[in-house]
């Protein structure tokens, strides 16, 4: 138990969950005094063993930091009057320094900026948590029956059941809304006109049937030419009463007239 307490006490504190501010100097922050505001002893982000504390004790200017080696804090970015960015870095020589951490001050409150690893870890953790909750919720609606197999049952969730019912109603309404009576009649008239202008070709089977019928018609006409003129009246009557074979098979001349018949005028 004692070992656990010692390990917990020696564990580094997570500065990403901390924030600090001083109410006495928030209203007077400026690029000239923001470093003094950050280097206050009550600030948990400030390391008192840095070079900034050394030059403060010696009452030197900030320009002397470049001539020193070790840990230091510099003002990296300024967006007056609300944003200030301060960088913590380790200086090796006047021209070489390695960044360690960045801190930003917004409205007088100091926060530690997360690094790329923390950002990626947080995004991955949020994604995994959301996916896990989605799978758990989806599995709660799954049902199994030996005859039907796996099915979904959303009756326990009122919102999902209402959405499914509304979706079914919309689909049925879309199927029923196929057009008005006027639209259907107008479409039939347009199709009839197109059929009249562009008749379909005669199938080969009908063409083969039409050839012997035409030959029979030619033979009958030849026989009529050899008949006695006195019997032309009876022949004419018989021809008018007999059906014409070409009329039954002539599909090209067949047309559908969708227009109503003209009204008869009273005399």
């Amino acid at each position: 138990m004692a070992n656990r307490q010692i390990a917990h006490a020696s564990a580094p504190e997570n500065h990403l969950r901390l924030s600090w501010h001083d109410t006495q100097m928030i209203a007077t922050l400026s690029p000239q005094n923001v470093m003094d505001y950050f280097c206050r002893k009550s600030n948990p982000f400030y390391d008192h063993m840095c070079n900034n504390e050394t030059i403060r004790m010696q009452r030197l200017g900030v320009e002397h930091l470049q001539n020193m080696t070790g840990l230091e804090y510099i003002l990296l970015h300024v967006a007056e009057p609300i944003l200030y960015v301060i960088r913590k870095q380790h200086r090796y020589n006047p021209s070489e320094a390695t960044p360690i951490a960045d801190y930003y001050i917004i409205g007088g409150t100091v926060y530690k900026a997360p690094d790329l690893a923390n950002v990626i870890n947080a995004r991955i953790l949020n994604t995994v948590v959301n996916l896990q909750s989605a799978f758990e919720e989806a599995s709660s609606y799954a049902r199994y029956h030996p005859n039907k197999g796996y099915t979904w049952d959303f009756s326990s969730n009122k919102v999902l059941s209402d959405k499914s019912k509304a979706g079914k109603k919309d689909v049925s309404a879309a199927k029923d809304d196929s057009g008005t009576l006027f639209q259907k009649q107008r479409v039939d008239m347009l199709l009839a006109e197109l059929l009249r202008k562009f008749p379909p070709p005669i199938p080969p089977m009908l063409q083969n049937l039409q050839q012997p019928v035409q030959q029979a018609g030619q033979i009958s006409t030849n026989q009529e030419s050899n008949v006695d003129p006195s019997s032309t009246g009876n022949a004419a009557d018989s021809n008018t009463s007999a059906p014409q074979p070409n009329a039954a098979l002539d599909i090209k001349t067949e047309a559908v007239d969708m227009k109503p018949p003209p009204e008869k005028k009273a005399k």
Side-chain angles (χ1 to χ4, degrees), residues 257-264:
D257 192 2
M258 299 299 293
K259 296 181 180 179
E263 296 181 358
K264 294 183 179 180

Side-chain angles (χ1 to χ4, degrees), residues 41-232:
K41 294 182 179 180
S42 59
N43 185 5
F45 305 111
Y46 179 66
D47 189 355
H48 300 281
M49 303 301 294
C50 62
N51 295 334
N52 299 73
E53 189 69 18
T54 303
I55 63 173
R56 286 184 64 189
M57 293 175 62
Q58 297 178 4
R59 296 182 181 180
L60 300 176
V62 183
E63 62 275 4
H64 291 82
L65 288 174
Q66 296 183 358
N67 300 326
M68 302 175 66
T69 59
L71 189 65
E72 65 180 18
Y73 295 89
I74 62 171
L75 182 60
L76 183 64
H77 179 72
V78 176
E80 292 188 84
I82 191 171
L83 176 63
Y84 303 93
V85 180
I86 297 174
R87 171 166 290 180
K88 179 182 180 181
Q89 61 185 7
H90 189 279
R91 181 172 294 280
Y92 300 98
N93 51 56
S95 60
E96 184 180 359
T98 302
I100 299 175
D102 289 337
Y103 304 91
Y104 57 94
I105 304 174
I106 298 180
T109 305
V110 184
Y111 303 92
K112 182 180 180 181
D115 53 3
L116 183 59
N118 289 324
V119 172
I120 294 176
N121 290 334
R123 296 294 178 85
I124 293 175
L125 182 61
N126 291 335
T127 304
V128 171
V129 170
N130 293 332
L131 287 175
Q132 184 176 1
S133 61
F135 281 126
E136 290 177 355
E137 185 176 359
S139 62
S140 64
Y141 300 123
R143 302 291 183 271
Y144 178 76
H145 192 272
N147 296 333
K148 298 180 180 179
Y150 286 97
T151 57
W152 298 102
D153 184 11
F154 300 104
S155 59
S156 59
N157 193 332
K158 185 177 180 181
V159 177
L160 293 177
S161 61
D162 294 341
K163 286 183 179 180
S164 60
K165 291 179 181 178
K168 291 179 181 178
K169 290 181 180 179
D170 295 339
V171 171
S172 61
K175 289 181 179 179
D176 295 338
D177 190 11
S178 57
T180 61
L181 181 61
F182 173 77
Q183 293 175 348
K184 294 178 181 179
Q185 293 178 353
R186 187 62 180 169
V187 170
D188 293 339
M189 293 177 63
L190 294 175
L191 292 176
E193 291 181 1
L194 291 174
L195 183 62
R196 188 183 300 109
K197 291 181 180 179
F198 306 100
I202 300 175
M205 297 176 64
L206 295 179
Q207 290 180 357
N208 296 331
L209 293 175
Q210 191 176 4
Q211 290 179 358
V213 173
Q214 292 178 353
Q215 293 176 0
Q218 292 177 359
I219 293 171
S220 62
T221 53
N222 294 331
Q223 291 177 357
E224 288 177 358
S225 61
N226 297 327
V227 175
D228 188 13
S230 61
S231 61
T232 52

